[in-house]
Amino acid sequence: MIGRARTLVHSLQGMPSGADNAHLQTFADTRTISSWALDAVEEMVASGIMNGLEPARFAPAELATRAQAATILKRFMQSVLFIEG
């Protein structure tokens, strides 16, 4: 949802948005990310909104904590210039 919202806001602001899946190669568990989610996950990692749980593990099947969700929302709002960092 955050990926789609970011794409929408960037299109309204006239900013480029896209992903090339290069950032996902750093994660050992990239193959466990659903194919339909790859582009959105790549964009979230490339933009710095999401980092994974460890440098080499994204853990796509794990649930996010409230703190992680709050961090994702804050980083999203900073990336689309809704708030200052």
Side-chain angles (χ1 to χ4, degrees):
M1 291 188 303
I2 296 292
R4 288 185 181 192
R6 188 171 187 272
T7 300
L8 173 65
V9 171
H10 278 181
S11 68
L12 294 173
Q13 293 174 337
M15 298 172 71
S17 181
D20 63 5
N21 293 344
H23 291 88
L24 296 182
Q25 303 313 314
T26 62
F27 299 115
D29 57 357
T30 298
R31 291 184 180 165
T32 62
I33 299 172
S34 297
S35 59
W36 57 267
L38 281 172
D39 289 340
V41 171
E42 164 61 27
E43 187 166 339
M44 295 300 93
V45 172
S47 67
I49 293 174
M50 297 178 80
N51 301 327
L53 294 182
E54 298 168 6
R57 188 169 76 95
F58 192 77
E62 292 189 27
L63 298 175
T65 65
R66 279 186 263 174
Q68 290 167 331
T71 299
I72 290 168
L73 288 172
K74 178 185 176 220
R75 290 177 182 169
F76 161 72
M77 290 176 42
Q78 289 171 328
S79 79
V80 295
L81 308 175
F82 284 178
I83 63 172
E84 293 184 17

